[in-house]
Amino acid sequence: MMLSARIACEALALKPFKYLQSVISERGDYVNDFMCTDDFITKSVELYSDMMYRVAYNITQNSEDAFDVCQDVFVRLVRNKDKIKNNEHLKAWLLRATVNCSKSHCMQAFKKHCVSTDELHNYSFTDDKEKSELFDAVMHLPEKYRTVIHLFYYEDLTIVQIANALGITKSAVKSRLHRGREMLKQTLEKEN
Amino acid sequence: MADNYNFNKTEYENSVNKIKLNNTQKNILISKMQQAESKEIKVYPINKYRLWTKAVAVVLSLAIIGGVFYFLGGINHNSFIMTANASEISEAEVVIESDYVAGMKVNCLERKTLPEYADEEYITDWIEHISISDLSITGENIDTITFKANKNLIHFTLFPMGEYAFESQFDENNKPIRDNAFVEAVEKTYEEVLPLTNSNFNEKEEETNSLIVQGKRCDGFTYKNPDTSEGEQTISFGSNVTLCLETDRFHDEVQKEYMDIMQECEDSYNATVKDYEELEDGTFRHTLTDEEVTILQKQQEYRGKLLKRLMDGVSIDVTVKFKNGSQQTKTLELKYKRLEDSVLKMSLAYFVDGEDTNSFSLISSDSVIEDAEIKIASSEMTTGFHMQVFSENGVEPYYNKLGKQDIFNDFLLTDLTIKGEDIESITFEANSKSTYFNLYTDNYENKFIDIQPLTNSQYTQAEFEKYFDGFFGYVCDGFTYLNTNKSNEINLGRLVGLKVESDYTDTEIAILMDTVYECFEKNEEYQRLYAPENKIDGMHYLTEEEIANDKKQAEYMDKVIDKIINGATVDITVKFIDGSEQRKTLVLGYDNSGDISFLTAKAL
């Protein structure tokens, strides 16, 4: 049976053995309205690009790198848009992809330039922006704390949503928020 | 309460609001997306579910024959290049993924008359047909192309262009009938067909056999290019030519051994009772049982060994004649590499063994990994993730076959560096259950190849894509990384993570996991109890109880990971430019003594 004498060629509709059949992959059942429309690209950028840029900036601490990350993620979105089920999923997907991409970017940047850890903390604004003490202190936190703080306080995500975006447990989110706040408190009290 | 720090949300928001993209940047993003949508994105094909009879790979590598000029990097007059899967065949190995054609059994009844085989009741050799449809020849002003096999028992079977034979016809005595008209058509298609000498079975012997291949078998052939136009052309023979590998059990004890084992497996498989489900299109589907899978796995394993043995030392001369009368010959050496077998979830790769003239070292944080355990990966980034089902009604857990929800931990191999000179590629293989790789890449630069199917997990790539939110890339038991940058130090950084999956089939782990989930549930309860009352600034402050519960959860999770990781091994094989290889095995460990837990390794 298995090695019986039958010849299968690529050009054929293959059924060398009638009792084995390949599984056809399933498509998602949920399709968002704007995912189907032609202005999916414009709307995605309009709705989410600033959010992604800020998250990327929080992690990379560099506006050029943050913009590069946004470009990477949107290109990936185009390739993966069939997997997106609805608007909410899109936002979560973009967030997670941005976080992952930003971290990869950090690693590559570190390898290329080999800057010292002190220099890593010297984030830069390309535009003139007012820096607040609090913002400054947040940006000086270790990355795992400042990201959680940003997502919680600025993006208003719930613990569950943050856990999903970062791929960590809810407990880890709570712990990091807790420790991040402790560190902020210590830093700001010292400065004052 | 843990602290009473009052986070000034407004101040923070005012600062962050100023971080935004301008219109020019947004237009750039839109433009990038539009470009991406219109481009055909090439991704190296990961293993997809296919019929298990498919996916044998023929690996062709080009050897430079002394005195023959080989022009790399472009097409000129009087030269040609060969490609497979759109990749040029040069010094590197190029894999032609070939649809396996089931071997044709040829009963050599006539050989029964030979005295030395008189004791054999039933003598069977096989002819394995391998499709080389992905092989193309590209050049300008091509007049003819000649293929010639250079080893005994290796030959070709030709079919007329656009036609193929699928099954034999039989006469009233159940004897196969050769379709002579078909054979004549073949002979007309090709300018010259070299007589068959590289076979133990000539046409006359074929007629005595149970099956006839409705094609023309030959040592080689010449094909005349019918396209007389000028300019570059690409010619491929598609499914009209198969490469034939013939067994010879009489003279090769090793082949005989493999073939006997394969026959035993086939007999065992045939002996089991099968249930078939009839499908809408009239075909039937049978879901393989574990026993059947084991049998077929073994058969495939030995088939791979047989094919490798048949292919060793085989070469094919390809001669192109040009319209101006000049010609060029290149020789392809064959190697066998088995790519995948998704139903059986196997992947066996056979490489030509090379001499160990090169070496590489594995280092981590500038320390060579030897006997001492060295940190190679950190779990800082992604820990404790679940699979979930997303629906209009919300999110629900996705359970494994035991009705439990698994937890996945990821260790990014940020601290593992491979150092060596002239490294061509590095292959990583995870050898232990519940440990496997996640490649965080869409592989658009095709640096990751030979992505091995996932067998160390309870889940499939498809399940990860569907239920693991934010999942990106590929999960696999192993992969090969191409060192196209020719680095002497390779660190894959955050591109590769080692995933560790909980395993409820292990009783001890199951008990630990139950405790982990008890802590999860307690967390939820604490949230309900304390959060409404303990809210300042929208933030819930952890009580001592909650902190203790968190610690317990982390402690038990660490025990689970420790149990899975400790003693697990990863093989790292480095292939060098000269073709030699060296393999090292890392034995993994887990260190969770600090704030961040990490993977350790020592060399075996």
Side-chain angles (χ1 to χ4, degrees):
Chain A
M1 171 272 310
M2 189 186 98
L3 290 178
S4 61
R6 304 185 65 162
I7 300 167
C9 299
E10 194 175 332
L12 293 177
L14 283 174
K15 281 181 192 147
F17 305 115
K18 61 180 179 181
Y19 23 79
L20 286 179
Q21 180 103 352
S22 47
V23 170
I24 300 165
S25 62
E26 296 164 8
R27 288 189 54 195
D29 292 331
Y30 312 105
V31 178
N32 179 276
D33 283 343
F34 89 69
M35 305 280 297
C36 295
T37 64
D38 290 336
D39 60 354
F40 157 70
I41 288 175
T42 319
K43 277 201 173 157
S44 299
V45 170
E46 198 180 305
L47 286 174
Y48 299 115
S49 61
D50 281 337
M51 173 197 78
M52 289 160 59
Y53 181 65
R54 286 165 186 147
V55 169
Y57 187 92
N58 179 279
I59 297 172
T60 61
Q61 298 188 308
N62 179 286
S63 46
E64 283 96 358
D65 288 345
F67 183 56
D68 284 346
V69 165
C70 290
Q71 291 181 71
D72 278 346
V73 171
F74 273 121
V75 167
R76 285 176 194 185
L77 173 63
V78 167
R79 292 178 196 156
N80 289 284
K81 71 177 181 184
D82 289 343
K83 294 176 191 166
I84 308 294
K85 293 175 177 50
N86 50 44
N87 252 335
E88 201 181 316
H89 189 199
L90 173 62
K91 182 179 175 182
W93 190 96
L94 284 171
L95 250 180
R96 191 164 168 84
T98 303
V99 167
N100 287 338
C101 229
S102 302
K103 287 173 180 174
S104 296
H105 216 82
C106 273
M107 190 64 199
Q108 287 166 22
F110 183 77
K111 274 166 63 181
K112 278 182 205 164
H113 305 300
C114 295
V115 295
S116 69
T117 48
D118 286 338
E119 284 177 271
L120 270 183
H121 287 158
N122 289 338
Y123 59 89
S124 61
F125 285 109
T126 49
D127 303 323
D128 280 330
K129 294 180 177 64
E130 271 180 41
K131 302 183 214 176
S132 78
E133 229 174 44
L134 174 60
F135 180 81
D136 209 47
V138 169
M139 292 303 275
H140 274 91
L141 289 175
E143 183 246 304
K144 66 177 182 176
Y145 300 129
R146 70 172 184 264
T147 307
V148 168
I149 295 257
H150 175 79
L151 292 175
F152 184 82
Y153 284 109
Y154 186 82
E155 297 295 341
D156 286 325
L157 298 188
T158 64
I159 301 289
V160 170
Q161 288 170 324
I162 297 174
N164 283 339
L166 300 181
I168 58 177
T169 61
K170 288 181 289 192
S171 310
V173 173
K174 285 191 284 183
S175 299
R176 290 182 190 189
L177 268 175
H178 173 73
R179 285 180 203 156
R181 291 167 53 85
E182 264 184 1
M183 291 176 72
L184 277 176
K185 183 185 170 193
Q186 284 167 20
T187 305
L188 291 168
E189 274 176 356
K190 240 190 240 175
E191 287 184 8
N192 287 337
Chain B
M1 278 203 209
D3 72 76
N4 57 0
Y5 171 64
N6 198 3
F7 188 92
N8 191 331
K9 189 166 152 55
T10 309
E11 182 189 339
Y12 185 71
E13 275 179 353
N14 287 341
S15 295
V16 175
N17 280 343
K18 293 165 188 163
I19 303 171
K20 56 185 178 182
L21 295 166
N22 57 38
N23 286 335
T24 307
Q25 288 171 313
K26 288 187 182 178
N27 286 335
I28 291 172
L29 292 176
I30 291 171
S31 165
K32 287 268 176 182
M33 286 176 86
Q34 285 166 343
Q35 282 172 31
E37 216 173 31
S38 62
K39 265 188 199 160
E40 186 186 315
I41 308 293
K42 284 192 179 160
V43 176
Y44 187 83
I46 59 170
N47 298 317
K48 297 279 187 203
Y49 188 108
R50 285 206 221 165
L51 293 170
W52 64 267
T53 52
K54 298 177 72 172
V56 159
V58 171
V59 179
L60 302 184
S61 63
L62 185 70
I64 299 174
I65 300 297
V68 173
F69 171 73
Y70 174 56
F71 186 83
L72 268 171
I75 318 271
N76 263 352
H77 282 300
N78 309 329
S79 77
F80 68 96
I81 63 168
M82 286 184 281
T83 61
N85 296 327
S87 300
E88 184 176 336
I89 300 174
S90 58
E91 287 128 12
E93 286 184 355
V94 173
V95 174
I96 293 178
E97 197 173 313
S98 169
D99 285 346
Y100 160 57
V101 176
M104 182 189 81
K105 279 189 184 165
V106 184
N107 299 328
C108 45
L109 298 173
E110 300 234 338
R111 293 189 170 203
K112 255 180 118 175
T113 61
L114 295 171
E116 52 264 46
Y117 307 124
D119 291 338
E120 300 262 6
E121 270 195 6
Y122 183 80
I123 305 159
T124 305
D125 267 307
W126 293 330
I127 295 176
E128 301 269 357
H129 289 255
I130 309 287
S131 164
I132 51 170
S133 52
D134 284 328
L135 178 64
S136 303
I137 287 92
T138 302
E140 290 184 1
N141 302 317
I142 293 176
D143 187 27
T144 64
I145 301 172
T146 300
F147 275 68
K148 188 174 179 312
N150 293 334
K151 189 183 173 192
N152 191 22
L153 305 185
I154 307 297
H155 51 272
F156 300 96
T157 299
L158 308 178
F159 304 95
M161 288 298 181
E163 297 181 45
Y164 45 79
F166 194 74
E167 285 180 327
S168 291
Q169 304 299 317
F170 294 88
D171 65 13
E172 58 209 11
N173 296 319
N174 214 28
K175 206 175 155 188
I177 305 167
R178 177 176 296 284
D179 185 342
N180 289 324
F182 191 92
V183 172
E184 279 173 23
V186 168
E187 286 169 339
K188 279 183 188 158
T189 301
Y190 299 92
E191 189 170 80
E192 187 189 357
V193 176
L194 299 178
L196 180 68
T197 63
N198 288 343
S199 173
N200 285 331
F201 305 100
N202 56 30
E203 284 186 12
K204 187 169 179 302
E205 282 175 310
E206 276 186 21
E207 288 173 5
T208 66
N209 295 308
S210 62
L211 201 76
I212 289 175
V213 174
Q214 297 292 6
K216 179 77 180 171
R217 293 197 297 134
C218 57
D219 280 5
F221 61 93
T222 298
Y223 172 73
K224 186 154 175 74
N225 181 15
D227 189 344
T228 55
S229 61
E230 289 189 2
E232 187 180 296
Q233 294 159 359
T234 295
I235 297 164
S236 164
F237 294 98
S239 46
N240 302 301
V241 174
T242 62
L243 179 69
C244 299
L245 313 174
E246 193 174 306
T247 64
D248 186 7
R249 58 186 289 128
F250 301 102
H251 298 110
D252 189 329
E253 285 290 330
V254 175
Q255 282 190 37
K256 181 179 181 307
E257 181 199 336
Y258 293 158
M259 290 159 73
D260 286 344
I261 292 172
M262 288 165 70
Q263 185 62 51
E264 279 168 19
C265 290
E266 184 163 336
D267 293 341
S268 297
Y269 183 89
N270 287 337
T272 66
V273 175
K274 308 219 180 356
D275 295 321
Y276 296 103
E277 175 195 340
E278 186 167 357
L279 302 173
E280 281 178 11
D281 63 358
T283 57
F284 292 84
R285 174 168 63 191
H286 162 65
T287 305
L288 296 173
T289 64
D290 288 344
E291 188 193 342
E292 287 167 343
V293 167
T294 306
I295 294 169
L296 293 176
Q297 274 180 336
K298 185 176 177 184
Q299 188 179 38
Q300 288 292 68
E301 181 193 340
Y302 278 89
R303 190 174 161 275
K305 290 182 183 189
L306 177 67
L307 282 176
K308 181 176 186 298
R309 195 168 176 80
L310 292 175
M311 236 177 255
D312 272 351
V314 171
S315 64
I316 299 171
D317 283 338
V318 181
T319 301
V320 172
K321 269 190 189 165
F322 301 92
K323 290 188 172 121
N324 65 0
S326 65
Q327 71 179 49
Q328 187 183 20
T329 298
K330 292 181 182 172
T331 299
L332 296 175
E333 288 183 0
L334 298 194
K335 291 180 195 170
Y336 168 69
K337 183 161 74 179
R338 171 105 169 283
L339 283 186
E340 58 145 306
D341 193 323
S342 55
V343 170
L344 305 180
K345 294 187 178 175
M346 288 172 66
S347 175
L348 300 173
Y350 294 90
F351 296 93
V352 173
D353 289 330
E355 288 176 17
D356 188 8
T357 55
N358 290 299
S359 67
F360 70 98
S361 61
L362 297 164
I363 67 166
S364 172
S365 305
D366 294 324
S367 302
V368 175
I369 298 175
E370 290 176 336
D371 295 328
E373 284 196 12
I374 302 288
K375 173 188 168 193
I376 61 166
S378 158
S379 73
E380 187 177 348
M381 294 308 162
T382 55
T383 55
F385 208 67
H386 314 272
M387 281 196 184
Q388 294 164 304
V389 182
F390 299 91
S391 70
E392 285 173 340
N393 303 323
V395 176
E396 288 167 3
Y398 181 70
Y399 297 111
N400 63 25
K401 288 175 184 151
L402 297 171
K404 302 283 190 181
Q405 193 178 20
D406 284 300
I407 290 181
F408 303 83
N409 288 274
D410 238 333
F411 294 89
L412 295 169
L413 301 180
T414 47
D415 289 310
L416 177 64
T417 303
I418 291 94
K419 265 186 176 174
E421 291 188 359
D422 299 327
I423 293 177
E424 184 181 283
S425 66
I426 307 170
T427 298
F428 292 77
E429 289 166 290
N431 298 324
S432 310
K433 192 180 171 193
S434 303
T435 59
Y436 46 92
F437 297 102
N438 195 154
L439 306 184
Y440 293 104
T441 170
D442 56 10
N443 204 24
Y444 67 93
E445 291 176 3
N446 288 334
K447 284 190 177 173
F448 290 90
I449 63 168
D450 298 342
I451 297 173
Q452 297 175 24
L454 187 61
T455 66
N456 291 343
S457 167
Q458 305 162 69
Y459 304 91
T460 62
Q461 170 80 21
E463 282 174 299
F464 275 97
E465 287 174 6
K466 194 169 177 181
Y467 302 116
F468 199 95
D469 197 25
F471 174 78
F472 179 69
Y474 310 114
V475 276
C476 56
D477 281 4
F479 63 93
T480 296
Y481 174 77
L482 292 178
N483 184 25
T484 50
N485 294 339
K486 313 278 182 227
S487 305
N488 289 343
E489 276 188 36
I490 295 141
N491 180 308
L492 295 177
R494 293 171 198 274
L495 289 180
V496 178
L498 186 78
K499 259 189 160 52
V500 179
E501 179 182 304
S502 57
D503 177 14
Y504 279 90
T505 62
D506 181 310
T507 319
E508 207 180 307
I509 292 177
I511 293 170
L512 293 170
M513 284 298 294
D514 284 343
T515 306
V516 169
Y517 272 105
E518 274 169 22
C519 293
F520 267 129
E521 278 158 25
K522 266 200 182 146
N523 243 332
E524 304 287 331
E525 202 186 307
Y526 288 141
Q527 281 273 50
R528 283 191 296 273
L529 275 175
Y530 297 123
E533 297 163 4
N534 194 8
K535 233 175 177 173
I536 294 175
D537 179 32
M539 172 69 187
H540 162 58
Y541 298 92
L542 298 177
T543 63
E544 298 296 332
E545 251 178 316
E546 286 173 286
I547 293 173
N549 188 57
D550 280 354
K551 274 189 179 154
K552 184 178 176 183
Q553 186 184 312
E555 181 194 329
Y556 275 77
M557 194 68 239
D558 279 338
K559 287 182 184 180
V560 168
I561 298 170
D562 185 71
K563 191 141 176 29
I564 295 169
I565 284 185
N566 241 311
T569 59
V570 168
D571 284 338
I572 299 181
T573 306
V574 170
K575 188 176 174 189
F576 300 93
I577 288 171
D578 66 0
S580 64
E581 287 182 1
Q582 189 184 22
R583 172 176 289 190
K584 292 188 180 172
T585 298
L586 294 181
V587 180
L588 303 181
Y590 184 58
D591 186 331
N592 59 312
S593 54
D595 200 27
I596 300 169
S597 49
F598 49 85
L599 216 57
T600 62
K602 58 183 179 182
L604 189 65

